[in-house]
């Protein structure tokens, strides 16, 4: 089962893809966007090209477990995806995934510029890994 992990920001969408067995999550790429419809189309192309079977979307709850504007943006994105694909879309709590990604990149001695380029896809891989560990057989 090949999965696509997604970390939605206000201007970028970090992506991660699992292996065919759904065991390992790897950073894939970061998409920059101005228009949500064009972003949806790019994601649909990746789904087709990479033969994705499950979508995993980070759910950005606040630290106190409340729901804010980031959750509204994520739910809207999820609804738009659901209109265009029949694939299951799983929501995974993403609190601190970006902080964890930053720490991983710093400990790997990645430059500040390098971190900026890959942090969203690394955060997406953390979200996807959380999902994969949850469904582990």
């Amino acid at each position: 089962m090949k999965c696509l992990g997604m970390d939605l920001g206000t201007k970028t969408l970090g992506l991660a893809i699992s292996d065919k067995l759904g065991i390992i999550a790897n950073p894939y790429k970061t998409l920059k966007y101005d228009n949500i419809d064009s972003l949806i189309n790019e994601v649909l192309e990746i789904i087709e090209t990479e033969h994705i079977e499950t979508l995993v979307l980070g759910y950005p709850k606040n630290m106190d477990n409340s729901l804010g504007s980031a959750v509204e943006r994520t739910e809207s994105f999820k609804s738009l995806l659901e209109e265009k694909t029949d694939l299951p879309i799983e929501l995974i709590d993403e609190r601190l995934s970006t902080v964890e990604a930053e720490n991983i990149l710093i400990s790997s001695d990645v430059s500040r510029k390098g971190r900026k380029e890959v942090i969203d896809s690394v955060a997406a891989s953390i979200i996807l890994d959380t999902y994969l560990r949850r469904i582990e057989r």
Side-chain angles (χ1 to χ4, degrees), residues 102 105-106 109-119:
E102 180 87 13
L105 293 169
I106 288 171
D109 205 27
V110 176
S111 70
R112 184 181 302 259
K113 182 181 178 191
R115 289 193 307 265
K116 186 175 181 179
E117 292 175 8
V118 299
I119 192 159

Side-chain angles (χ1 to χ4, degrees), residues 80-125:
L80 290 170
L81 272 175
E82 287 172 332
E83 290 174 12
K84 303 283 185 175
T85 183
D86 291 330
L87 294 178
I89 303 173
E90 304 291 334
L91 294 175
I92 294 294
D93 187 344
E94 70 167 48
R95 284 179 281 192
L96 299 178
S97 62
T98 302
V99 172
E100 186 177 345
E102 180 87 13
N103 289 338
I104 289 168
L105 293 169
I106 288 171
S107 68
S108 299
D109 205 27
V110 176
S111 70
R112 184 181 302 259
K113 182 181 178 191
R115 289 193 307 265
K116 186 175 181 179
E117 292 175 8
V118 299
I119 192 159
D120 295 321
S121 63
V122 172
S125 71

Side-chain angles (χ1 to χ4, degrees), residues 44-112:
L44 293 173
E45 286 178 30
I46 292 167
I47 289 169
E48 186 174 331
T49 303
E50 297 294 334
H51 309 289
I52 301 298
E53 298 171 59
T54 301
L55 303 174
V56 180
L57 181 59
Y59 198 62
K61 290 182 177 180
N62 294 323
M63 290 307 291
D64 65 0
N65 215 28
S66 64
L67 308 179
S69 60
V71 165
E72 291 174 22
R73 182 177 59 250
T74 298
E75 288 176 345
S76 174
F77 180 72
K78 180 180 182 272
S79 293
L80 290 170
L81 272 175
E82 287 172 332
E83 290 174 12
K84 303 283 185 175
T85 183
D86 291 330
L87 294 178
I89 303 173
E90 304 291 334
L91 294 175
I92 294 294
D93 187 344
E94 70 167 48
R95 284 179 281 192
L96 299 178
S97 62
T98 302
V99 172
E100 186 177 345
E102 180 87 13
N103 289 338
I104 289 168
L105 293 169
I106 288 171
S107 68
S108 299
D109 205 27
V110 176
S111 70
R112 184 181 302 259

